[in-house]
């Protein structure tokens, strides 16, 4: 008797929400994430790599941890089986990476990126520039080709490509982190368990999921070009730009995914712990100081004394030197805030004001800087 044939549904027969469910569940098998929003976000990020050209930007994905052996590499290993044209790397020069991207499509999966950038995110400006530029589809890097005999021409190489970057915390430039969704991974506790990574087994199990994802994304790619997904309340500017591709895909998937994606978006945007620049930290401390004193003006000497007294602030010892009037003016100058001479508490000396007088038209005052560079105050104050 001839055995009955088992009908295997083709990848295109799966609806989008089921495809994303499979990607999410597969990812979650091999990692312990810090919260429940990580696996759905990764599923959407992996999906967007298949249709990156449908969007103007491709959000960077950062996998960070305070210590090695926290699961960053494992996330990239799984990503290899679910992203479009993955290129796993742990180094390389900027020119080589540019050539690789230009010959794409490609998804960069960069492990140990902390070896490229030093503490604080400095170093290797060529790589940093490429990763920054490659965030937007229109970006190119000019390269010359030819020789002195025949002449030189300029070749404009596209550098737009999805990129996942894994490294130790504190080593990523701010210009990259502000273009990224960051997962802060931690070491697993002894009572937390994940499946072991066996490459042949993972390939076998991931292949049908990958094929289903590829097929579904190909079927909706054209519709994504014009997508304008609604953002969760309070998500705008750069965060909205970052999340637009992922929310657009979630809307196409339907079922629970539009809600799941927006919940994840809100969590990542509003709970993302970032280290402010020194200037922003100074503006925040000054706003607290002025609000505490309920004043619109304060002399520089008084400001310096009070700033140095803040226990968890850097103002008592800044790069081996105490914070002084000159450094205060230097830090505030980029924000168009400068000291003015005025009489306050019976003394005539230089200081800072929240609102300048009409004669100081080139200075905007602290209140304007607070409103532009600090989050709004819950009480509805100046910022």
């Amino acid at each position: 008797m001839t055995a009955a044939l088992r009908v295997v549904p083709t990848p295109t027969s799966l609806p989008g929400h089921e495809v994303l469910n499979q990607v999410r569940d597969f990812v979650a098998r091999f990692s312990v994430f810090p919260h429940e929003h990580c696996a759905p976000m990764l599923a959407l990020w992996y999906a967007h790599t298949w249709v990156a050209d449908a969007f103007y930007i491709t959000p960077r994905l950062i996998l960070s941890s305070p210590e090695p052996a926290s699961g960053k590499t494992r996330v990239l290993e799984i990503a290899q089986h679910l992203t479009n044209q993955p290129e796993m790397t742990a180094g390389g020069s900027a020119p080589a990476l540019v050539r690789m991207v230009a010959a794409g499509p490609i998804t960069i999966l960069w492990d140990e990126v902390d070896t490229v950038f030093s503490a604080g995110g400095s170093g290797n400006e060529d790589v940093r520039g490429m990763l920054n530029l490659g965030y937007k589809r229109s970006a190119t890097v000019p390269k010359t080709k030819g020789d002195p005999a025949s002449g030189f021409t300029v070749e404009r190489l596209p550098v737009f490509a999805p990129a996942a970057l894994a490294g130790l915390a504190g080593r990523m430039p701010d210009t990259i982190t502000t273009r990224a969704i960051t997962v802060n991974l931690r070491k697993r506790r002894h009572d937390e368990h994940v499946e072991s990574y066996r490459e042949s087994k993972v390939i076998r199990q991931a292949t049908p999921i990958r094929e289903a994802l590829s097929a579904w994304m190909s079927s909706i790619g054209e519709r994504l070009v014009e997508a304008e997904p609604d953002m969760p309340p309070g998500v705008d500017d750069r965060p909205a730009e970052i999340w637009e591709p992922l929310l657009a895909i979630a809307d196409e998937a339907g079922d629970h995914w539009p809600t799941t994606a927006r919940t994840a978006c809100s969590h990542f945007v509003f709970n993302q712990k970032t280290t402010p620049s020194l200037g922003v930290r100074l503006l925040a401390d000054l706003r607290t100081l002025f609000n505490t004193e309920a004043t619109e003006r304060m002399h520089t000497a008084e400001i310096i004394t009070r700033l140095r007294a803040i226990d968890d602030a850097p103002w008592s010892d800044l790069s081996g030197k105490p914070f002084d009037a000159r450094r205060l003016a230097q830090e505030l100058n980029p924000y168009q805030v400068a000291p003015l001479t005025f009489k306050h508490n019976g003394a005539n000396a230089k200081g800072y004001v929240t609102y300048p007088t009409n004669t100081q038209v080139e200075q905007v005052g602290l209140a304007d800087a607070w409103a532009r560079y600090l989050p709004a105050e819950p009480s509805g104050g100046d910022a």
Side-chain angles (χ1 to χ4, degrees):
M1 181 181 295
T2 304
L5 294 176
R6 184 171 67 91
V7 178
V8 179
T10 61
T12 54
S13 67
L14 291 177
H17 68 273
E18 289 187 16
V19 175
L20 289 180
N21 286 348
Q22 289 186 10
V23 177
R24 175 202 61 197
D25 295 344
F26 191 80
V27 167
R29 287 166 49 187
F30 301 93
S31 299
V32 174
F33 293 113
H35 50 76
E36 71 274 16
H37 306 293
C38 294
M41 180 278 293
L42 289 173
L44 291 167
W45 193 89
Y46 297 161
H48 107 280
T49 67
W50 294 91
V51 288
D53 284 342
F55 305 105
Y56 180 58
I57 68 99
T58 170
R60 273 50 185 118
L61 172 64
I62 292 179
L63 307 169
S64 175
S65 71
E67 297 291 338
S70 297
K72 301 182 297 296
T73 300
R74 182 53 42 81
V75 175
L76 292 184
E77 288 174 333
I78 298 302
Q80 286 185 102
H81 307 294
L82 299 168
T83 53
N84 183 32
Q85 299 297 321
E87 185 69 39
M88 190 84 157
T89 183
S93 66
L97 289 167
V98 166
R99 293 288 181 182
M100 289 169 59
V101 172
I106 185 178
T107 299
I108 301 170
L109 305 177
W110 197 329
D111 201 5
E112 298 181 2
V113 74
D114 50 284
T115 62
V116 176
F117 301 107
S118 57
S122 60
N124 212 320
E125 290 300 303
D126 289 340
V127 171
R128 183 186 66 82
M130 188 214 73
L131 291 172
N132 287 346
L133 284 173
Y135 168 80
K136 293 189 174 181
R137 186 177 55 194
S138 58
T140 61
V141 170
K143 297 290 183 182
T144 57
K145 64 178 182 178
D147 55 65
S150 60
F152 293 96
T153 60
V154 176
E155 182 181 19
R156 294 172 177 83
L157 300 177
V159 290
F160 179 72
L165 313 169
L168 295 177
R171 297 295 184 95
M172 198 70 64
D174 291 341
T175 53
I176 295 177
T177 59
T178 56
R179 292 168 167 84
I181 301 170
T182 300
V183 179
N184 296 303
L185 294 166
R186 303 169 295 183
K187 280 182 173 288
R188 285 190 291 115
R189 296 195 310 265
H190 297 298
D191 60 341
E192 293 177 325
H193 303 285
V194 296
E195 288 190 33
S196 299
Y197 182 82
R198 299 287 184 269
E199 187 176 43
S200 60
K201 178 181 178 181
V202 169
I203 292 175
R204 185 171 64 253
Q205 294 180 349
T207 296
I209 301 175
R210 174 189 176 89
E211 291 175 350
L213 182 61
S214 173
W216 176 58
M217 295 312 300
S218 296
S219 71
I220 66 171
E222 290 186 5
R223 295 201 297 271
L224 293 171
V225 174
E226 301 296 331
E228 295 183 10
D230 293 331
M231 292 291 148
V235 177
D236 52 21
D237 298 329
R238 179 63 63 77
E241 186 179 63
I242 289 171
W243 277 88
E244 182 173 292
L246 276 58
L247 296 185
I249 292 170
D251 287 345
E252 286 289 338
D255 199 62
H256 68 91
W257 278 96
T259 300
T260 296
R262 285 167 175 81
T263 302
C265 172
S266 295
H267 179 87
F268 277 99
V269 170
F270 299 118
N271 293 278
Q272 195 73 56
K273 293 183 178 180
T274 58
T275 301
S277 67
L278 189 65
V280 169
R281 172 63 193 266
L282 177 59
L283 289 174
D285 286 347
L286 286 173
R287 185 171 71 176
T288 300
L289 175 58
F290 273 67
N291 286 347
T292 301
E293 296 299 315
T295 184
E296 292 186 348
R297 55 179 57 191
M298 190 177 298
H299 283 156
T300 300
E302 185 177 0
I303 291 175
I304 296 297
T305 299
R306 292 180 178 272
L307 287 176
R308 290 179 182 176
I310 302 175
D311 290 337
D312 62 344
W315 315 122
S316 60
D317 183 5
L318 197 63
S319 302
K321 298 179 180 179
F323 199 61
D324 57 17
R326 182 178 180 180
R327 185 62 184 271
L328 176 63
Q330 178 184 337
E331 292 296 334
L332 291 177
N333 183 63
Y335 304 100
Q336 289 185 264
V337 177
L340 304 174
T341 300
F342 57 85
K343 182 173 288 187
H344 182 55
N345 293 335
N348 197 32
K350 283 193 173 184
Y352 292 83
V353 298
T354 54
Y355 299 98
T357 64
N358 292 334
T359 57
Q360 279 83 35
V361 294
E362 294 183 359
Q363 297 301 323
V364 297
L366 285 166
D368 186 85
W370 293 336
R372 296 178 188 278
Y373 298 100
L374 300 181
E377 293 182 288
S379 60
D382 292 332

